[in-house]
Amino acid sequence: HQVNSMPKNQRIIRRRGASKGKSAFAINTRSIFIFFCLLLISLFIALCHSHYTLLRTNNNSNSNNEILNSESSKKSMNDNQIIIKKSAPEKEMKPVEESKKVQKKESGNNPDCYSTIVSIPRPPWQERHMIEPPKGPIVLVCCETTKGVLNIAVHPTWAPLGADRFLNMVTTGYFSSKVALFRCLRNFLCQFGLAGDPDLNKPYKSMKDDPPWLPLGPDHRSNSVGVKRFPKGYLAYAGAGPNSRSNQLIVALSDNGRLAGGIPWEVPWGEVVGDISMRTLNQFYTGYGDKGPSQGMLHREGSSEAVANDYPLLDYITECHVVEDERISDKHNV
């Protein structure tokens, strides 16, 4: 009624305003609908992308795990091999009885080592010894030095205690510690025996003297044909008085009757044998004489770098092993 009562121009304007409001409302509604559609599409795309990324990550993770497992198994195999290699039993110091065959094989590594006792040259005793030595089995030992091989015939019947101690030092690897020939006097003797590792000296305390088999005293330095009491290659302990022998040894570099073998604590227990071994004795450096490394230094340091630097020409025994023991084979014929 109010509209009809309005003037015609106002009615037209009112109608236009009403239609304009309706179209604006329709446009807003459409925009909101489109916005929500786009939002849903965006959410769907994001969800699909997230799902795809998750699947790809899982696949990569699985492949990485397979690679890691493969590498881990390989590493485990290698580690096991290393462990097996490291844990392989080391060479044991077996008693002489058990190790005779092995030691015979080892002696073949150096052709200068005699392989059997039968190989040892045995001149008539009158040419070698002042008196006929006690008969009995021989234990053949081969020692390697910085100047060559020493083949040693150990005679347990000459000096049972002394021979047994030396063989103990051999079979326990004592000489593998690099034992210095620290006092070598030209045309006389070499003194040695202190271990390259000072801790190895500790078990070797003083022992009783063996009964002498050589004639003692200044009246028996040689026999009627001139064979001296302590010929070249004889081995004994370097004692300092009765029952003082421990782990220090002497070897004669030439025939000697005056200063060795004539007292109970220097009773011989073995001898160097063969021309090759005698040549080795000739090559030991004697230039230091009594001015080599002191016993106190060797007791403290062993065969240390300082000893090597101060005495670069010093000779050493680097290894000894038993080749054959007639006490075991029971085939001695001395």
Side-chain angles (χ1 to χ4, degrees), residues 119-139:
S119 307
I120 299 174
R122 301 190 190 188
W125 71 261
Q126 295 90 343
E127 297 178 9
R128 170 73 173 154
H129 309 286
M130 179 182 183
I131 64 170
E132 186 175 8
K135 294 182 178 180
I138 294 173
V139 182

Side-chain angles (χ1 to χ4, degrees), residues 91 93 106 142-145 168-180 193-197 200 303 316-322:
K91 183 183 174 184
M93 274 299 170
E106 287 178 350
C142 187
C143 292
E144 307 226 10
T145 78
N168 176 267
M169 295 164 75
V170 170
T171 56
T172 56
Y174 182 93
F175 291 97
S176 297
S177 68
K178 194 178 177 183
V179 174
L194 294 173
D197 177 358
L200 297 180
S303 299
Y316 299 88
I317 296 175
T318 56
E319 189 266 342
C320 292
H321 62 270
V322 174

Side-chain angles (χ1 to χ4, degrees), residues 22-35:
K22 287 180 181 179
S23 70
F25 175 77
I27 290 169
N28 289 338
T29 303
R30 193 179 302 113
S31 298
I32 291 169
F33 176 77
I34 292 170
F35 171 76

Side-chain angles (χ1 to χ4, degrees), residues 23-331:
S23 70
F25 175 77
I27 290 169
N28 289 338
T29 303
R30 193 179 302 113
S31 298
I32 291 169
F33 176 77
I34 292 170
F35 171 76
F36 275 107
C37 287
L38 292 173
L39 181 63
L40 288 173
I41 291 169
S42 298
L43 289 173
F44 179 77
I45 291 171
L47 183 63
C48 290
H49 182 266
S50 175
H51 184 65
Y52 172 77
T53 303
L54 182 62
L55 288 174
R56 187 175 179 182
T57 301
N58 288 337
N59 289 334
N60 290 337
S61 177
N62 289 335
S63 64
N64 287 337
N65 286 336
E66 290 176 1
I67 293 170
L68 288 173
N69 289 335
S70 176
E71 291 179 354
S72 176
S73 63
K74 288 179 181 179
K75 186 177 180 181
S76 175
M77 290 174 65
N78 291 335
D79 288 343
N80 288 336
Q81 290 174 354
I82 292 170
I83 290 170
I84 291 169
K85 195 171 183 180
K86 285 185 178 179
S87 61
E90 297 179 357
K91 183 183 174 184
E92 297 179 2
M93 274 299 170
K94 300 177 181 178
V96 177
E97 293 86 351
E98 298 178 12
S99 59
K100 183 179 67 169
K101 291 183 180 179
V102 175
Q103 288 166 337
K104 277 189 177 182
K105 186 177 180 181
E106 287 178 350
S107 69
N109 294 335
N110 192 320
D112 291 337
C113 288
Y114 287 130
S115 59
T116 63
I117 292 173
V118 176
S119 307
I120 299 174
R122 301 190 190 188
W125 71 261
Q126 295 90 343
E127 297 178 9
R128 170 73 173 154
H129 309 286
M130 179 182 183
I131 64 170
E132 186 175 8
K135 294 182 178 180
I138 294 173
V139 182
L140 177 60
V141 171
C142 187
C143 292
E144 307 226 10
T145 78
T146 48
K147 290 293 170 60
V149 157
L150 290 178
N151 288 292
I152 298 173
V154 180
H155 298 280
T157 53
W158 289 13
L161 297 177
D164 184 67
R165 173 160 292 189
F166 174 74
L167 290 173
N168 176 267
M169 295 164 75
V170 170
T171 56
T172 56
Y174 182 93
F175 291 97
S176 297
S177 68
K178 194 178 177 183
V179 174
L181 292 115
F182 65 90
R183 180 175 175 256
C184 289
L185 306 173
R186 190 176 175 222
N187 294 327
F188 181 32
L189 58 77
C190 264
Q191 185 172 340
F192 63 99
L194 294 173
D197 177 358
D199 289 337
L200 297 180
N201 296 313
K202 295 176 182 178
Y204 296 101
K205 308 301 181 183
S206 297
M207 61 179 169
K208 292 182 179 180
D209 293 331
D210 282 300
W213 59 272
L214 285 170
L216 304 179
D219 296 332
H220 302 284
R221 292 174 177 170
S222 63
N223 63 16
S224 59
V225 295
V227 177
K228 295 184 178 179
R229 181 166 50 198
F230 205 81
K232 183 178 180 178
Y234 261 34
L235 287 147
Y237 285 86
N243 304 319
S244 62
R245 300 179 303 167
S246 58
N247 61 333
Q248 293 199 48
L249 308 162
I250 56 173
V251 58
L253 298 182
S254 65
D255 296 343
N256 188 309
R258 221 174 135 239
L259 296 174
I263 43 182
W265 51 92
E266 289 180 355
V267 57
W269 49 264
E271 57 181 326
V272 171
V273 292
D275 291 339
I276 291 174
S277 300
M278 293 300 176
R279 286 197 293 270
T280 299
L281 292 179
N282 294 339
Q283 293 176 40
F284 286 151
Y285 183 70
T286 58
Y288 296 127
D290 283 317
K291 297 181 180 179
S294 67
Q295 295 183 37
M297 184 180 190
L298 293 174
H299 269 294
R300 289 190 308 271
E301 302 181 19
S303 299
S304 65
E305 187 176 346
V307 171
N309 289 336
D310 292 343
Y311 305 95
L313 300 179
L314 202 66
D315 285 307
Y316 299 88
I317 296 175
T318 56
E319 189 266 342
C320 292
H321 62 270
V322 174
V323 176
E324 187 177 3
D325 188 341
E326 282 187 333
R327 297 174 301 177
I328 300 166
S329 61
D330 223 10
K331 294 177 182 178

